[in-house]
Coordinates of all heavy atoms in Angstrom, one line a residue:
M1 N 0.8 -1.2 0.0 CA 0.0 0.0 0.0 C 0.9 1.3 0.0 O 1.7 1.4 0.9 CB -0.9 0.0 1.2 CG -2.0 1.0 1.2 SD -3.2 0.6 -0.2 CE -3.7 -1.0 0.3
T2 N 0.7 2.1 -1.0 CA 1.6 3.3 -1.1 C 0.7 4.5 -1.3 O -0.3 4.5 -2.1 CB 2.5 3.1 -2.4 OG1 3.1 1.8 -2.3 CG2 3.6 4.2 -2.3
P3 N 1.1 5.7 -0.7 CA 0.4 6.9 -1.0 C 0.6 7.4 -2.4 O 1.8 7.3 -2.9 CB 0.9 7.9 0.0 CG 1.7 7.1 1.0 CD 2.2 5.9 0.2
T4 N -0.4 7.9 -3.0 CA -0.2 8.6 -4.3 C -0.2 10.1 -4.2 O 0.3 10.8 -5.0 CB -1.3 8.2 -5.3 OG1 -2.5 8.4 -4.8 CG2 -1.1 6.7 -5.7
A5 N -0.8 10.6 -3.0 CA -0.7 12.0 -2.8 C -0.9 12.2 -1.2 O -1.7 11.4 -0.6 CB -1.9 12.7 -3.5
I6 N -0.3 13.2 -0.7 CA -0.5 13.6 0.7 C -0.8 15.1 0.7 O -0.1 15.9 0.2 CB 0.8 13.3 1.5 CG1 1.2 11.8 1.5 CG2 0.7 13.8 3.0 CD1 2.5 11.5 2.1
R7 N -1.9 15.4 1.3 CA -2.3 16.8 1.4 C -2.5 17.2 2.9 O -3.1 16.5 3.7 CB -3.7 17.0 0.7 CG -3.6 16.8 -0.8 CD -4.9 17.1 -1.5 NE -5.9 16.1 -1.0 CZ -6.0 14.9 -1.5 NH1 -5.3 14.5 -2.5 NH2 -6.9 14.0 -1.0
N8 N -1.9 18.4 3.2 CA -2.0 18.8 4.6 C -2.8 20.1 4.7 O -2.6 21.0 3.9 CB -0.6 19.1 5.1 CG -0.6 19.4 6.6 OD1 -1.3 18.8 7.4 ND2 0.3 20.3 7.0
F9 N -3.8 20.1 5.6 CA -4.7 21.3 5.7 C -4.6 21.8 7.1 O -5.2 21.3 8.1 CB -6.1 20.9 5.5 CG -6.4 20.3 4.1 CD1 -6.4 18.9 3.9 CD2 -6.6 21.1 3.0 CE1 -6.6 18.4 2.6 CE2 -6.8 20.6 1.7 CZ -6.8 19.3 1.5
N10 N -3.7 22.8 7.3 CA -3.4 23.3 8.7 C -4.7 24.0 9.2 O -4.9 24.0 10.4 CB -2.2 24.2 8.7 CG -1.0 23.4 9.1 OD1 -1.1 22.4 9.8 ND2 0.2 23.9 8.7
A11 N -5.4 24.7 8.3 CA -6.6 25.4 8.8 C -7.6 24.5 9.5 O -8.3 24.8 10.4 CB -7.2 26.2 7.7
D12 N -7.7 23.3 8.9 CA -8.6 22.3 9.4 C -8.0 21.3 10.3 O -8.6 20.4 10.9 CB -9.3 21.5 8.3 CG -10.1 22.4 7.4 OD1 -10.5 23.5 7.8 OD2 -10.2 22.0 6.2
A13 N -6.6 21.4 10.5 CA -5.9 20.5 11.3 C -6.1 19.0 10.9 O -6.3 18.1 11.7 CB -6.2 20.6 12.8
R14 N -6.0 18.8 9.6 CA -6.1 17.4 9.1 C -5.2 17.2 8.0 O -4.7 18.1 7.3 CB -7.6 17.1 8.7 CG -8.1 17.7 7.5 CD -9.5 17.6 7.3 NE -10.1 18.6 6.4 CZ -10.1 18.4 5.1 NH1 -9.7 17.3 4.5 NH2 -10.6 19.3 4.3
L15 N -4.9 15.9 7.8 CA -4.0 15.4 6.8 C -4.8 14.3 6.0 O -5.5 13.5 6.5 CB -2.8 14.7 7.5 CG -1.6 14.3 6.6 CD1 -0.8 15.5 6.2 CD2 -0.7 13.3 7.4
E16 N -4.7 14.5 4.6 CA -5.3 13.5 3.8 C -4.3 12.7 3.0 O -3.3 13.3 2.5 CB -6.3 14.2 2.8 CG -7.6 14.6 3.4 CD -8.5 15.2 2.4 OE1 -8.2 15.2 1.2 OE2 -9.6 15.7 2.8
I17 N -4.5 11.4 2.9 CA -3.6 10.6 2.1 C -4.5 9.8 1.1 O -5.4 9.1 1.4 CB -2.8 9.6 3.0 CG1 -1.9 10.4 3.9 CG2 -2.0 8.7 2.1 CD1 -1.1 9.5 4.8
D18 N -4.1 10.0 -0.2 CA -4.7 9.1 -1.3 C -3.8 7.9 -1.4 O -2.5 8.0 -1.5 CB -4.7 9.9 -2.6 CG -5.6 11.0 -2.6 OD1 -6.5 11.1 -1.8 OD2 -5.4 11.9 -3.5
W19 N -4.4 6.7 -1.4 CA -3.7 5.5 -1.6 C -3.8 4.9 -3.0 O -4.7 5.3 -3.8 CB -4.2 4.5 -0.6 CG -4.1 4.9 0.8 CD1 -5.1 5.5 1.6 CD2 -3.0 4.9 1.7 NE1 -4.6 5.8 2.8 CE2 -3.3 5.4 2.9 CE3 -1.7 4.4 1.5 CZ2 -2.4 5.5 4.0 CZ3 -0.8 4.5 2.6 CH2 -1.1 5.0 3.8
D20 N -2.9 4.0 -3.3 CA -2.8 3.5 -4.7 C -4.0 2.5 -5.0 O -4.0 2.0 -6.1 CB -1.5 2.9 -5.0 CG -1.1 1.8 -4.1 OD1 -1.9 1.4 -3.3 OD2 0.0 1.3 -4.2
D21 N -4.8 2.3 -4.0 CA -6.0 1.5 -4.4 C -7.2 2.4 -4.6 O -8.4 2.0 -4.5 CB -6.3 0.5 -3.3 CG -6.7 1.1 -2.0 OD1 -6.6 2.3 -1.8 OD2 -7.1 0.3 -1.1
D22 N -6.9 3.8 -4.7 CA -8.0 4.8 -5.0 C -8.8 5.1 -3.8 O -9.8 5.8 -3.9 CB -8.9 4.4 -6.1 CG -8.2 4.5 -7.5 OD1 -7.3 5.3 -7.6 OD2 -8.6 3.7 -8.4
S23 N -8.4 4.7 -2.6 CA -9.1 5.1 -1.3 C -8.3 6.4 -0.8 O -7.2 6.6 -1.1 CB -9.1 4.0 -0.3 OG -7.8 3.7 0.1
T24 N -9.0 7.1 0.1 CA -8.5 8.3 0.7 C -8.7 8.1 2.2 O -9.8 7.8 2.7 CB -9.1 9.6 0.2 OG1 -8.9 9.7 -1.2 CG2 -8.6 10.8 0.9
S25 N -7.6 8.4 3.0 CA -7.7 8.4 4.5 C -7.6 9.9 4.9 O -6.8 10.6 4.4 CB -6.6 7.6 5.1 OG -6.7 6.3 4.6
C26 N -8.3 10.2 6.0 CA -8.2 11.5 6.6 C -7.8 11.4 8.1 O -8.4 10.6 8.8 CB -9.6 12.2 6.5 SG -9.6 13.9 7.1
Y27 N -6.8 12.2 8.5 CA -6.3 12.1 9.9 C -6.3 13.4 10.5 O -5.8 14.4 10.0 CB -4.9 11.5 9.9 CG -4.7 10.3 9.1 CD1 -4.3 10.3 7.8 CD2 -5.0 9.0 9.7 CE1 -4.1 9.1 7.1 CE2 -4.8 7.9 9.0 CZ -4.4 7.9 7.7 OH -4.2 6.7 7.0
A28 N -6.9 13.5 11.8 CA -6.8 14.8 12.5 C -5.3 14.9 13.0 O -4.7 13.9 13.5 CB -7.7 14.7 13.7
H29 N -4.8 16.1 13.0 CA -3.4 16.3 13.4 C -3.2 15.9 14.9 O -2.2 15.3 15.3 CB -3.0 17.8 13.3 CG -2.8 18.2 11.9 ND1 -2.4 19.5 11.6 CD2 -2.9 17.5 10.7 CE1 -2.3 19.6 10.3 NE2 -2.6 18.4 9.7
E30 N -4.3 16.2 15.7 CA -4.2 15.8 17.1 C -4.0 14.3 17.3 O -3.3 13.8 18.1 CB -5.5 16.3 17.9 CG -5.5 15.9 19.3 CD -6.8 16.1 20.0 OE1 -7.8 16.4 19.3 OE2 -6.9 15.9 21.2
L31 N -4.8 13.5 16.5 CA -4.8 12.1 16.6 C -3.4 11.6 16.2 O -2.9 10.7 16.8 CB -5.9 11.5 15.6 CG -6.3 10.1 15.9 CD1 -7.0 10.0 17.2 CD2 -7.2 9.7 14.8
L32 N -2.9 12.1 15.1 CA -1.5 11.7 14.7 C -0.5 11.9 15.8 O 0.3 11.1 16.1 CB -1.1 12.4 13.4 CG -1.9 12.1 12.1 CD1 -1.6 13.1 11.0 CD2 -1.5 10.7 11.7
R33 N -0.6 13.1 16.5 CA 0.3 13.4 17.5 C 0.2 12.5 18.7 O 1.2 12.0 19.2 CB 0.2 14.9 17.9 CG 1.1 15.4 19.0 CD 2.6 15.3 18.5 NE 3.4 15.6 19.7 CZ 3.9 14.7 20.5 NH1 3.6 13.5 20.4 NH2 4.7 15.1 21.5
V34 N -1.0 12.3 19.2 CA -1.2 11.5 20.4 C -0.9 10.0 20.1 O -0.7 9.3 21.0 CB -2.6 11.7 21.1 CG1 -2.8 13.2 21.5 CG2 -3.7 11.2 20.2
Q35 N -1.0 9.6 18.9 CA -0.7 8.2 18.5 C 0.7 8.1 17.9 O 1.0 7.1 17.3 CB -1.8 7.7 17.6 CG -3.1 7.6 18.2 CD -4.1 6.8 17.4 OE1 -3.7 5.9 16.7 NE2 -5.4 7.0 17.6
C36 N 1.6 9.1 18.2 CA 2.9 9.0 17.6 C 3.6 7.7 18.0 O 3.6 7.3 19.1 CB 3.7 10.2 18.2 SG 5.5 10.1 17.7
P37 N 4.1 7.0 16.9 CA 4.7 5.7 17.1 C 6.2 5.7 17.6 O 6.7 4.6 17.7 CB 4.6 5.0 15.8 CG 4.7 6.2 14.8 CD 4.1 7.4 15.5
C38 N 6.8 6.8 17.9 CA 8.2 6.8 18.2 C 8.5 6.2 19.5 O 7.6 6.1 20.4 CB 8.8 8.2 18.1 SG 8.6 9.3 19.5
A39 N 9.7 5.8 19.7 CA 10.1 5.1 21.0 C 9.9 6.0 22.2 O 9.6 5.5 23.3 CB 11.6 4.7 20.9
D40 N 10.1 7.3 22.0 CA 9.9 8.2 23.1 C 8.5 8.2 23.6 O 8.2 8.3 24.8 CB 10.2 9.7 22.6 CG 11.4 10.2 23.2 OD1 12.2 9.4 23.8 OD2 11.6 11.5 23.2
C41 N 7.5 8.1 22.7 CA 6.1 8.2 23.1 C 5.6 6.8 23.4 O 4.8 6.7 24.3 CB 5.3 8.8 21.9 SG 5.7 10.5 21.5
R42 N 6.1 5.8 22.8 CA 5.5 4.5 22.9 C 6.3 3.7 24.1 O 5.7 2.8 24.6 CB 5.6 3.7 21.7 CG 4.7 4.1 20.6 CD 3.2 3.6 20.8 NE 2.5 4.3 21.8 CZ 1.8 5.4 21.6 NH1 1.8 6.0 20.5 NH2 1.2 6.0 22.6
G43 N 7.5 4.0 24.3 CA 8.3 3.2 25.3 C 8.7 1.9 24.6 O 8.4 1.7 23.5
H44 N 9.3 1.1 25.4 CA 9.8 -0.2 24.8 C 8.8 -1.3 25.1 O 8.8 -2.4 24.5 CB 11.1 -0.6 25.4 CG 12.2 0.4 25.0 ND1 12.6 0.5 23.7 CD2 12.9 1.3 25.6 CE1 13.5 1.4 23.6 NE2 13.7 2.0 24.8
T45 N 7.9 -1.1 26.1 CA 6.8 -2.0 26.4 C 5.5 -1.2 26.5 O 5.6 0.0 26.7 CB 7.1 -2.7 27.7 OG1 7.0 -1.7 28.7 CG2 8.4 -3.4 27.7
P46 N 4.4 -1.9 26.3 CA 3.1 -1.2 26.5 C 3.0 -0.4 27.8 O 2.4 0.7 27.8 CB 2.1 -2.3 26.3 CG 2.8 -3.4 25.6 CD 4.2 -3.3 26.0
E47 N 3.6 -0.9 28.8 CA 3.5 -0.3 30.2 C 4.2 1.0 30.2 O 3.9 1.9 31.0 CB 4.0 -1.2 31.3 CG 3.3 -2.5 31.5 CD 3.5 -3.5 30.4 OE1 4.6 -3.6 29.9 OE2 2.5 -4.2 30.0
Q48 N 5.2 1.2 29.3 CA 6.0 2.4 29.3 C 5.4 3.5 28.4 O 5.8 4.6 28.4 CB 7.4 2.2 28.8 CG 8.3 1.3 29.7 CD 9.6 1.0 29.1 OE1 9.9 1.3 28.0 NE2 10.5 0.3 29.9
A49 N 4.4 3.1 27.7 CA 3.8 4.1 26.7 C 3.2 5.3 27.5 O 2.6 5.2 28.5 CB 2.7 3.4 25.9
K50 N 3.5 6.5 26.9 CA 3.0 7.7 27.5 C 1.6 8.0 27.0 O 1.3 7.8 25.9 CB 3.9 8.9 27.1 CG 5.3 8.9 27.7 CD 6.0 10.1 27.2 CE 7.5 10.0 27.6 NZ 8.3 11.0 26.7
I51 N 0.8 8.5 27.9 CA -0.5 9.1 27.5 C -0.3 10.5 27.2 O 0.1 11.3 28.0 CB -1.6 8.9 28.6 CG1 -1.7 7.5 29.1 CG2 -2.9 9.4 28.1 CD1 -2.2 6.5 28.1
I52 N -0.5 10.9 25.9 CA -0.2 12.2 25.5 C -1.5 13.0 25.4 O -2.5 12.5 24.7 CB 0.5 12.2 24.1 CG1 1.8 11.4 24.1 CG2 0.8 13.6 23.6 CD1 2.3 11.0 22.8
T53 N -1.6 14.1 26.1 CA -2.8 14.9 26.1 C -2.5 16.4 25.8 O -1.3 16.8 25.7 CB -3.5 14.8 27.5 OG1 -2.6 15.3 28.5 CG2 -3.9 13.4 27.8
G54 N -3.5 17.2 25.7 CA -3.3 18.6 25.5 C -2.8 19.0 24.2 O -2.1 20.0 24.0
K55 N -3.1 18.2 23.1 CA -2.5 18.5 21.8 C -3.6 18.8 20.8 O -3.5 18.7 19.6 CB -1.8 17.2 21.3 CG -0.6 16.8 22.1 CD 0.5 17.9 22.1 CE 1.7 17.5 22.9 NZ 2.7 18.6 23.0
E56 N -4.7 19.4 21.4 CA -5.9 19.7 20.5 C -5.5 20.7 19.4 O -6.1 20.7 18.4 CB -7.0 20.4 21.4 CG -7.7 19.4 22.4 CD -6.9 19.2 23.6 OE1 -5.8 19.9 23.8 OE2 -7.3 18.4 24.5
D57 N -4.5 21.6 19.7 CA -4.2 22.7 18.8 C -2.9 22.4 18.0 O -2.4 23.3 17.3 CB -4.1 24.0 19.5 CG -5.4 24.4 20.1 OD1 -6.5 24.1 19.5 OD2 -5.4 25.0 21.2
V58 N -2.4 21.2 18.1 CA -1.1 20.9 17.5 C -1.3 20.9 15.9 O -2.4 20.5 15.5 CB -0.5 19.6 18.0 CG1 -1.2 18.4 17.3 CG2 1.0 19.6 17.8
R59 N -0.3 21.3 15.2 CA -0.4 21.3 13.7 C 0.8 20.5 13.2 O 1.9 20.6 13.7 CB -0.4 22.7 13.2 CG -1.7 23.5 13.5 CD -2.9 22.9 12.8 NE -4.1 23.7 13.1 CZ -4.9 23.5 14.1 NH1 -4.6 22.6 15.0 NH2 -5.9 24.2 14.3
V60 N 0.6 19.9 12.0 CA 1.7 19.3 11.3 C 2.4 20.4 10.5 O 1.8 21.2 9.8 CB 1.1 18.2 10.3 CG1 2.2 17.8 9.3 CG2 0.6 17.1 11.1
T61 N 3.7 20.5 10.6 CA 4.5 21.5 9.9 C 5.3 21.0 8.8 O 5.7 21.7 7.9 CB 5.4 22.2 10.9 OG1 6.3 21.3 11.5 CG2 4.7 23.0 11.9
H62 N 5.6 19.6 8.8 CA 6.4 19.1 7.7 C 6.2 17.6 7.6 O 6.0 16.9 8.6 CB 7.9 19.4 8.0 CG 8.8 19.0 6.9 ND1 8.8 19.6 5.7 CD2 9.7 18.0 6.8 CE1 9.7 19.1 4.9 NE2 10.3 18.1 5.5
I63 N 6.1 17.1 6.4 CA 6.0 15.7 6.1 C 7.1 15.2 5.2 O 7.3 15.9 4.1 CB 4.6 15.4 5.5 CG1 3.5 15.9 6.4 CG2 4.4 13.9 5.2 CD1 2.3 16.3 5.6
E64 N 7.8 14.2 5.6 CA 8.9 13.8 4.7 C 8.8 12.3 4.4 O 8.5 11.5 5.4 CB 10.2 14.0 5.5 CG 11.5 13.5 4.8 CD 12.7 13.6 5.7 OE1 12.6 14.0 6.8 OE2 13.7 13.1 5.2
L65 N 8.8 11.9 3.2 CA 8.8 10.5 2.8 C 10.1 9.8 3.2 O 11.2 10.3 3.0 CB 8.6 10.4 1.3 CG 7.1 10.4 0.8 CD1 7.1 10.4 -0.7 CD2 6.3 9.2 1.3
I66 N 9.9 8.7 3.9 CA 11.1 7.8 4.2 C 11.0 6.6 3.4 O 10.2 5.7 3.6 CB 11.0 7.5 5.7 CG1 10.9 8.7 6.6 CG2 12.3 6.6 6.1 CD1 12.1 9.6 6.6
G67 N 12.0 6.5 2.4 CA 11.9 5.3 1.5 C 10.6 5.2 0.9 O 9.9 6.1 0.6
N68 N 10.2 3.9 0.8 CA 8.8 3.7 0.3 C 7.9 2.9 1.3 O 7.1 2.1 0.9 CB 8.9 2.8 -1.0 CG 9.7 1.5 -0.8 OD1 10.1 1.2 0.3 ND2 9.8 0.8 -1.9
Y69 N 8.2 3.3 2.6 CA 7.4 2.5 3.6 C 6.9 3.4 4.7 O 6.0 3.0 5.4 CB 8.3 1.5 4.2 CG 9.4 2.0 5.2 CD1 9.1 2.0 6.5 CD2 10.5 2.5 4.7 CE1 10.1 2.5 7.4 CE2 11.5 3.0 5.5 CZ 11.3 3.0 6.9 OH 12.2 3.5 7.7
A70 N 7.3 4.7 4.8 CA 6.9 5.5 5.9 C 6.9 7.0 5.6 O 7.5 7.4 4.6 CB 7.7 5.2 7.1
V71 N 6.3 7.8 6.4 CA 6.5 9.2 6.4 C 6.9 9.7 7.8 O 6.5 9.1 8.8 CB 5.2 10.1 6.1 CG1 4.9 9.9 4.6 CG2 4.0 9.6 6.9
R72 N 7.8 10.7 7.9 CA 8.2 11.3 9.1 C 7.4 12.6 9.2 O 7.4 13.4 8.3 CB 9.7 11.6 9.2 CG 10.2 12.0 10.6 CD 11.7 12.1 10.6 NE 12.2 13.1 9.7 CZ 12.3 14.4 10.0 NH1 11.9 14.8 11.2 NH2 12.7 15.3 9.1
I73 N 6.7 12.8 10.4 CA 5.9 13.9 10.5 C 6.4 14.8 11.6 O 6.7 14.4 12.7 CB 4.4 13.5 10.9 CG1 3.8 12.6 9.7 CG2 3.5 14.7 11.1 CD1 2.4 12.1 10.0
E74 N 6.6 16.1 11.3 CA 7.0 17.1 12.3 C 5.8 17.9 12.7 O 4.9 18.3 11.9 CB 8.0 18.1 11.6 CG 9.4 17.5 11.5 CD 10.3 18.5 10.9 OE1 10.1 19.8 11.1 OE2 11.3 18.1 10.2
F75 N 5.7 18.2 14.0 CA 4.6 19.0 14.6 C 5.1 20.3 15.1 O 6.3 20.4 15.4 CB 4.0 18.2 15.7 CG 3.3 16.9 15.2 CD1 4.1 15.7 15.2 CD2 2.0 16.8 14.8 CE1 3.5 14.5 14.8 CE2 1.4 15.6 14.4 CZ 2.2 14.5 14.4
D76 N 4.2 21.2 15.3 CA 4.6 22.6 15.7 C 4.9 22.6 17.2 O 5.3 23.7 17.8 CB 3.6 23.7 15.3 CG 2.3 23.5 15.9 OD1 2.0 22.6 16.7 OD2 1.4 24.4 15.6
D77 N 4.7 21.5 17.9 CA 5.2 21.4 19.3 C 6.7 21.0 19.4 O 7.2 20.7 20.5 CB 4.3 20.6 20.2 CG 4.3 19.1 19.7 OD1 5.0 18.8 18.7 OD2 3.7 18.3 20.5
G78 N 7.3 20.9 18.2 CA 8.7 20.5 18.2 C 9.0 19.0 18.1 O 10.1 18.6 17.9
H79 N 7.9 18.2 18.1 CA 8.1 16.8 18.0 C 8.3 16.3 16.6 O 7.5 16.7 15.7 CB 6.9 16.1 18.7 CG 7.3 14.6 19.1 ND1 8.1 14.4 20.1 CD2 6.8 13.5 18.6 CE1 8.2 13.0 20.2 NE2 7.4 12.5 19.3
N80 N 9.3 15.6 16.3 CA 9.6 15.2 14.9 C 10.2 13.8 14.7 O 10.8 13.5 13.7 CB 10.5 16.2 14.2 CG 11.8 16.4 14.9 OD1 12.2 15.6 15.8 ND2 12.6 17.3 14.4
T81 N 10.1 13.0 15.7 CA 10.8 11.7 15.7 C 9.8 10.5 15.3 O 10.3 9.4 15.2 CB 11.4 11.4 17.0 OG1 10.5 11.6 18.1 CG2 12.7 12.2 17.2
G82 N 8.6 10.8 15.0 CA 7.6 9.8 14.7 C 7.7 9.4 13.2 O 7.6 10.2 12.3
L83 N 8.0 8.1 13.0 CA 7.9 7.5 11.7 C 6.6 6.7 11.6 O 6.4 5.7 12.3 CB 9.1 6.5 11.4 CG 10.5 7.1 11.2 CD1 11.4 6.0 10.7 CD2 10.4 8.2 10.1
Y84 N 5.8 7.2 10.7 CA 4.5 6.5 10.5 C 4.5 5.7 9.3 O 4.6 6.2 8.2 CB 3.4 7.6 10.4 CG 3.2 8.5 11.6 CD1 4.2 9.5 11.9 CD2 2.1 8.4 12.4 CE1 4.0 10.3 12.9 CE2 2.0 9.2 13.5 CZ 2.9 10.2 13.8 OH 2.8 11.0 14.9
T85 N 4.6 4.3 9.5 CA 4.7 3.5 8.4 C 3.3 3.5 7.7 O 2.3 3.8 8.3 CB 5.0 2.0 8.7 OG1 3.9 1.5 9.5 CG2 6.3 1.9 9.5
F86 N 3.3 3.2 6.4 CA 2.1 3.2 5.6 C 1.1 2.2 6.2 O -0.1 2.4 6.3 CB 2.4 2.9 4.1 CG 3.3 3.9 3.5 CD1 4.1 3.5 2.4 CD2 3.3 5.2 4.0 CE1 4.9 4.5 1.8 CE2 4.2 6.1 3.3 CZ 5.0 5.8 2.3
T87 N 1.6 1.0 6.6 CA 0.8 0.0 7.2 C 0.1 0.5 8.5 O -1.1 0.3 8.7 CB 1.6 -1.2 7.6 OG1 2.4 -1.6 6.4 CG2 0.7 -2.4 8.0
H88 N 0.9 1.2 9.3 CA 0.3 1.8 10.5 C -0.8 2.8 10.2 O -1.8 2.8 10.8 CB 1.5 2.4 11.3 CG 1.1 3.0 12.6 ND1 1.0 2.3 13.7 CD2 0.9 4.3 12.9 CE1 0.7 3.1 14.7 NE2 0.6 4.3 14.3
L89 N -0.5 3.7 9.2 CA -1.5 4.7 8.9 C -2.7 4.0 8.3 O -3.9 4.5 8.6 CB -0.9 5.7 7.8 CG 0.2 6.6 8.4 CD1 0.9 7.3 7.2 CD2 -0.5 7.7 9.2
R90 N -2.6 3.0 7.6 CA -3.7 2.4 6.9 C -4.6 1.6 7.9 O -5.8 1.6 7.8 CB -3.2 1.4 5.9 CG -3.5 1.5 4.4 CD -4.7 2.4 4.1 NE -5.8 1.5 3.7 CZ -6.2 1.5 2.4 NH1 -5.7 2.3 1.5 NH2 -7.2 0.8 2.1
H91 N -3.9 1.0 8.9 CA -4.7 0.0 9.7 C -4.8 0.4 11.2 O -5.7 -0.1 11.9 CB -4.0 -1.4 9.6 CG -4.0 -1.9 8.2 ND1 -5.1 -2.2 7.5 CD2 -3.0 -2.1 7.4 CE1 -4.8 -2.6 6.3 NE2 -3.5 -2.5 6.2
Q92 N -3.9 1.3 11.7 CA -4.0 1.5 13.2 C -4.4 2.8 13.6 O -4.8 3.0 14.8 CB -2.6 1.1 13.8 CG -2.3 -0.4 13.8 CD -0.9 -0.7 14.1 OE1 -0.1 -0.8 13.3 NE2 -0.7 -0.8 15.4
I93 N -4.3 3.8 12.8 CA -4.8 5.1 13.1 C -6.1 5.4 12.4 O -6.2 5.4 11.2 CB -3.8 6.2 12.7 CG1 -2.5 6.0 13.5 CG2 -4.4 7.6 13.0 CD1 -1.5 7.1 13.2
L94 N -7.2 5.5 13.2 CA -8.5 5.6 12.6 C -9.2 6.8 13.2 O -9.0 7.3 14.2 CB -9.4 4.3 12.9 CG -8.8 3.0 12.4 CD1 -9.5 1.9 13.0 CD2 -8.8 3.0 10.9
Ligands
LIG1 ZN1 6.7 10.5 19.5

């Protein structure tokens, strides 16, 4: 599963991804931030995972394609270590 287009709407705080099967996914910036998959946020075990709150107003400032399997998303709270794999975006963030 590969994105064919990624559109960021800061005014609406949402990100849209078109996939190569002609479907489109829509993600709220807040949801992407609180579900950040990086080791800092998730910890090494489920027990270590942080509950991230207070990100209602967070915005995506930059999106970078990583190879053909993930995007790295930067947020305006300075957080930029989350690698969101396409599989994760497709199946785990709803
Ligand atoms: Zn993180």
Side-chain angles (χ1 to χ4, degrees):
M1 194 62 62
T2 314
T4 54
I6 299 175
R7 292 180 298 275
N8 189 35
F9 300 96
N10 264 338
D12 299 336
R14 69 189 161 90
L15 189 73
E16 281 183 7
I17 298 179
D18 292 340
W19 301 98
D20 58 4
D21 65 352
D22 288 333
S23 64
T24 298
S25 303
C26 183
Y27 307 96
H29 288 182
E30 179 193 6
L31 197 66
L32 290 168
R33 179 63 186 88
V34 299
Q35 297 194 21
C36 176
C38 84
D40 249 17
C41 297
R42 291 278 78 87
H44 296 291
T45 65
E47 295 73 37
Q48 290 175 357
K50 290 179 192 163
I51 306 293
I52 303 165
T53 59
K55 299 297 181 184
E56 293 82 1
D57 296 325
V58 81
R59 292 293 183 272
V60 170
T61 55
H62 187 67
I63 303 150
E64 180 189 355
L65 273 173
I66 305 291
N68 56 1
Y69 73 98
V71 286
R72 189 171 65 82
I73 299 180
E74 286 183 27
F75 297 91
D76 65 359
D77 64 354
H79 200 69
N80 63 4
T81 46
L83 285 189
Y84 298 73
T85 65
F86 300 152
T87 308
H88 182 81
L89 287 166
R90 240 340 250 251
H91 299 293
Q92 285 170 271
I93 298 182
L94 299 170

